Amino acid sequence: MKLRGLYLILDPAVAGSRPLTSIVKTALDGGVRLFQLRMKTSETRKIYELAVVLCPLVRNGGGTFIVNDRCDVAAVVGADGVHLGQEDLPLADARAILGPGKLIGISTHNLAQATEAEAGGADYIGFGPIFPTATKENPDPVVGVAGLREVRVKVRIPIVAIGGITAKNAADVRAAGADCCAVVSAVLSAPDTQAAIAELVKAIG
Ligand code: TZP
Ligand code: MG
């Protein structure tokens, strides 16, 4: 499994009435192979109920399924890994829970956090917000493509850029050294999911 291309974050609060199952099917058909389930305000059972459906859907389609925040949900549904922020479980404890074979991604917002995550054994870092975003509540300061370039020089593990990425700016983000571009609203709020995915996949290259 390679960490490259479009990394689609599945957030039902952004998708609204669009079922995540059909978004996943469209995305798999469009070549997307990296998915993360992100449910910031839901009860555990609701997260579980969606994860237990989406995980096999993604994996049977040849994709990688990662759960945001929740090592427990990731473990019980057999996800490929977990994505943790700076306020979540420490990386070493998450690794102890999930074992060495699972992916652990760490959200980082500056060079110090990025190098710390790499030294601690993260499989990849999220880095951002690259651009302003309305999707995340209380986002960290925008790092820009210049911030991404700076981190690229110091970090060898894959970098998943995030925050305000669209088909229009994705090529600049890749050129600054991101392996993957993670998006929420550019796909989940798009009027035409299939077209939005196709444009992003093309732009990311
Ligand atoms: N972390 C940093 S920015 C962000 C997260 C989860 C939200 C990205 O959403 P969008 O809609 O792709 O800007
Ligand atoms: Mg988190």
Side-chain angles (χ1 to χ4, degrees), residues 40 68-69 83-85 88:
K40 296 310 263 190
N68 185 267
D69 291 342
H83 185 92
L84 300 172
D88 295 319

Side-chain angles (χ1 to χ4, degrees), residues 177-198:
D179 299 277
C180 291
C181 292
V183 307
V184 184
S185 57
V187 168
L188 299 192
S189 301
D192 182 337
T193 308
Q194 193 180 2
I197 288 168

Side-chain angles (χ1 to χ4, degrees), residues 9 17 28 40 49 53 74 79 92 98 108 119 130 132 139 162 169 182 201:
I9 299 184
S17 61
L28 285 167
K40 296 310 263 190
E49 282 170 354
V53 170
L98 292 178
T108 65
I130 307 293
I162 187 164
N169 60 32
V201 166

Side-chain angles (χ1 to χ4, degrees), residues 9 38 107 109 128-129 132-136 139 162-165 182-186:
I9 299 184
R38 177 178 191 263
S107 286
H109 315 289
T133 176
T135 304
K136 188 171 177 165
I162 187 164
I165 298 177
V183 307
V184 184
S185 57

Side-chain angles (χ1 to χ4, degrees), residues 75-123:
V76 295
V77 305
D80 295 289
V82 72
H83 185 92
L84 300 172
Q86 296 290 321
E87 289 81 31
D88 295 319
L89 276 182
L91 174 49
D93 296 295
R95 184 67 78 197
I97 291 172
L98 292 178
K102 297 292 182 180
L103 294 171
I104 301 184
I106 302 290
S107 286
T108 65
H109 315 289
N110 55 52
L111 183 57
Q113 290 173 353
T115 53
E116 185 191 359
E118 179 171 54
D123 294 289

